[in-house]
Amino acid sequence: MESNNISLKNKILVYVILGAFLILSVSAIVSISTVTGQQEEMAYQQSIEMTKNYANYFDGKARKNQAITTTISTAMSNYDSADRGEVNDILKGILLENPQLVGVYVGYEPNAFDGIDADFIGIEGHDGTGRFVPFWNTINGPISVEPLEDYETSEYYQLPKELQQTVVIEPYFYRGILMVSYVSPIIRNGEFVGISGVDVSLKYFDEIVSDVTAFESGYTFVTSNSGILLSHPEHKEWIGTKKLDDFGVAEISEMATDIRDGKRGYIETTDPDTGREVVMFYEPINEGTYSFVLCAPKDEMLAGVTVLRNRLIFMSLFSIVLVGGVAYMVGRSTDQTIKKMLDDFRLISDNALTGNFDTRADTNVQVDFKKIPVGLNQILDNMGKLTKENEKAMDALLHAKIEAENADRTKADFISNMSHELRTPLTLIIGFSDILDSEHYGALNEDQKKYTSSVLKNANHLLELITDLLDFSNTEVGTMELHSNDFSAVDVIDEIEALMIPIASEKDIDMIFDIDIEAPDIKADVIKFKQILYHLVNNSIKFTEKGGSVIIAGKISDDSVHISIKDTGIGISPEDQDKLFKPFYQVDASSTREYGGTGLGLALVRKFVEMHGGKVWVESELGEGSTFTFTVPMDQMADEQ
């Protein structure tokens, strides 16, 4: 359906309501997305911090155990009394003072302690050769000492000997206890002579971790670097036997790889135990061979975000309905006034056709429209007088012309008032969108940036259209005035260059400036001179395909400034060139949809150029581009048109 077939009242209602709905909807989407995104990020960050805090707690425990091991190693490296009984007392005392330990030991190379291993064969804490390898422990209940086992092949002895540094042995079962060993080499005079170490039961992991809750039903657990579960609040049978890879879940296996590499992070997956959607946060315990894992149900973790989002959606919907209702009332108010005036015109015209000039328009309308029925009534008064008094028709026509001009001015006033009314909310929209786009109140994701950029672009475009419409209306009724200024044409061209280059760059259009103007300042309306240049350059960029070029040339000739804008765009046929500078004209209706615009730009260019006493014309061929040229006198201005 053509827009001319739609009634003005329906257009007003549709435009006002739809415009308010679209602007508020986009603003609501951007605001809700930004706020909830920040809240969701905060919920994730809180879980990460909670995981890190518990990992740091266990890291402190591990550091303490490692410090005990290092202390024993340092003491034995500097020990020169060669008193095996004294060393046993030291080890026993350390075990009694640190209840988290289940074993404390030293193990020396053959004859490395005092050179008399043979004298201690058969003594407790020694092997069959008398080698000094006492292992003080509480594994069987009361504290006791026995010789170390398998030290010739086991990692707890061979790794510190080989690496010459403190090592932490991967968790293992020993006599039914899941434990981990911290072992340091004993170095004397630069030579390895033995090891010292402590064994720590990992039962305290499960006791502490099982009591930790995450949100309402989340839980935590600890895993070794190889992926073995060291604790679990429900499945105790998994401890020490089940690995993360055993669950057969891709995301959990990915987490196991990160843990093996000592990395932190989180995954989103389905809990193989509960079947719920969860987020698993994991953090390495730096001084151990394990990591702390927090398993949080996603719906519980984001419950606050969901409540906030629902509240914002409700508030936004309420605002949209409220503003839509106000917009509808405003539209209906205008519609009723227009309907009343149309009914008056119809009645008056019907009566006038029968020679009855006594009918009058109702002047009880809103102040913005009041001059229209008043002017019409004055016309009817004059026509009635001419009929009754039989007075040649020129005076009546003169009065009619004056009243028509008054009506035009009323129309211009109405358009001006409406333009200002539209500019106020547009300015607010542009301002708030610009604040969002600056990310001053929080970072935006890619979708939010796209929405904000779209709001800014379309709001600024709408503001340009309103400005063009207001300028054209003022020129039509003769209220547009020129304000003479002395200025440099080169400076103005430089300003347009700076403004248009970013627009051309978006389409990869090459802008070339060939300016040969070295004359003194010209005298003209600098604002309108800029508008002429802006519309012509913008028009060339708009109708030039990607990768094309636009050339702006300028020179002085016959006391006038000559400016031409040449493009490699789609071109214009000869039959369309004569109509090109008419208002609201588009060469092809499809171009409106593809390139945008109202058809007022070139009409305003012609008006402004002619007001200066200049000329504007176009040279073009279809598919070969176009050249727009205009001239403006340097030292005088034509009378206002």
Side-chain angles (χ1 to χ4, degrees), residues 188 207 225 379 471 513 516:
R188 185 178 295 158
E207 292 174 346
N225 284 357
I379 293 173
D471 286 345
F513 288 81
D516 185 18

Side-chain angles (χ1 to χ4, degrees), residues 226-246:
S226 63
I228 299 175
L229 293 182
L230 304 181
S231 71
H232 196 280
E234 298 294 335
H235 296 280
K236 304 302 181 185
E237 71 277 9
W238 290 354
I239 297 176
T241 61
K242 197 173 186 67
K243 288 189 173 184
L244 294 175
D245 288 329
D246 294 340

Side-chain angles (χ1 to χ4, degrees), residues 172-185:
Y172 61 95
F173 274 105
Y174 182 73
R175 298 183 186 177
I177 297 177
L178 184 63
M179 65 174 61
V180 65
S181 295
Y182 298 82
V183 193
S184 292

Side-chain angles (χ1 to χ4, degrees), residues 421-436:
E421 291 297 323
L422 289 172
R423 282 178 175 177
T424 299
L426 274 177
T427 302
L428 289 175
I429 292 167
I430 292 171
F432 283 123
S433 299
D434 196 39
I435 290 174
L436 283 176

Side-chain angles (χ1 to χ4, degrees), residues 277-295:
E277 293 298 316
V278 296
V279 184
M280 292 187 178
F281 300 86
Y282 48 95
E283 180 78 21
I285 300 174
N286 295 326
E287 295 301 328
T289 57
Y290 22 80
S291 290
F292 182 83
V293 182
L294 183 147
C295 182

Side-chain angles (χ1 to χ4, degrees), residues 37 56-57 65 69 88 156 222 254 279 286 315 338 394 399 475 527 578 602 620:
N56 289 339
Y57 170 79
N65 296 329
T69 302
N88 276 318
Y156 78 87
V222 177
E254 178 183 339
V279 184
N286 295 326
M315 293 172 62
I338 294 174
M394 293 302 296
H399 285 291
T475 61
I527 300 299
D578 294 335
L602 293 180
S620 180

